[in-house]
Amino acid sequence: MIECQGLGKDFRHYRKEPGVLGSLKSFFVRKYDRKAAVADFNLTIERGEMVGLLGPNGAGKTTLMKMFTGIIVPSHGSLKVFGHVPFQREQAFRKKIALVMGQKSQLWWDIPAMDSFELLQKYYEIPYRDFKKRLDMLSALLDVERLLKVHVRKLSLGERMKMELMACLLHQPQVLFLDEPTIGLDLVAQRNIRDFIAAYQREQGTTVILTSHYMADVDALCARIVLVLGGQKRYDGSIRGFSGILGREKIVTVVFGESVLADPPGFERFDPQWNETRTRVDLRVPEPELRSVAIDILQSLPLLEFSMEKLPIERVMSTLLANPQLLR
C-alpha cells in the first residue's frame, strides 16, 4: 500500500545578518542553510496495518506525513501510495486518503459542521444515500448528533476533533493519516478518540498511520511502530520488541511512610527514581532478579505500598531519546 525507497526531503533556509547593514548585504548576496528533514528513508506498509511514527520534535514525522499525502514534494528517492505518486495529486489518489492534523482545521469555523460535511459530499462525489448512512453512523459512534448544527467555533476542542475525524472519514478513505490527533485534549477526550479510531479501524480495515507525542495513543492503537530520529529510521518493528530494547525489566514501585534520606543498600543497581519528598521510589529490576529483589524489599524495609508493572513505553522512549546509541 505504501512503499518508499531512499526517500528524503531537504529544506533551504535563508540566513540574514542582523541590522540594517545585514539587510543591505542580503540584496546582493544571500546565504542559505540546508537541512535534511528526512534522509534515505525506506518503509513498506501493508494494507490494514496501524503503524505509529514516533520521534521527538523536529525528527521528521510531519514531513513524512506531508510527503505521503502529496502536500510536499520529496527532494530525492521514490514514494508510492496505492501505486500513485502522491505529489502528482491525482483525483483517484485524493479519494483514497485522508489527513487529520491535530493543530490545523479543515472545517469552516463560522458555520455548522453539517454545512462543511455537505460541501465535502459534493467535493468527493459521494452518493447522497451513502453520505447520509455514513454521517449517521459516524455521528452515533462519536456521540455528536446534537452538535452537527452548532457553529464549529462554539464547540470544545474535543468536540471539534471529533468533527475533524468525521470530515476525513465521510468518503471512506483506504488510508488515514493522523498527525497528533489528540494534542491538547484532556484524558477523557483522548481516550474517547482512541476508542473510536480503534473501533473504526477494526470495522473498516482502514490502514492508519499515526504520529503522537502521547505514548498512550501509540501503546493503545499500534501493533507496529517506526522510530524516527534526525530524519532517519532507527527502529521498525513490534511495540513489544520496542519495549524490550532496554532488556526485560519491570518497574517496582515502593512507597514509604516517611522520607528516606539515603538509598537503602542495593538500590543503586536499579536506577532509583525518587519523588520530591523521597517517600516513593521506582526501580528498574531485570525479570530474572525480580523474585529475590521483591523478597528482600518486603522483608527488610518498612513499606506502605509495593507494586510491579512492565516497563512503560514512555520510559523506554525517554531513555532512547536521551541515549540514541542504545539503538545501535
Side-chain angles (χ1 to χ4, degrees), residues 304-325:
L304 287 181
E305 296 181 20
F306 179 91
S307 61
M308 293 179 291
E309 63 177 350
K310 68 178 183 180
L311 191 64
I313 189 173
E314 292 93 339
R315 184 75 66 88
V316 177
M317 187 68 180
S318 61
T319 302
L320 292 177
L321 293 182
N323 304 281
Q325 66 273 11

Side-chain angles (χ1 to χ4, degrees), residues 41 45 47 99 104 114 190 249:
F41 203 90
I45 296 175
R47 185 182 300 272
L99 170 65
K104 293 186 179 181
M114 189 64 195
Q190 288 179 26
E249 299 177 329

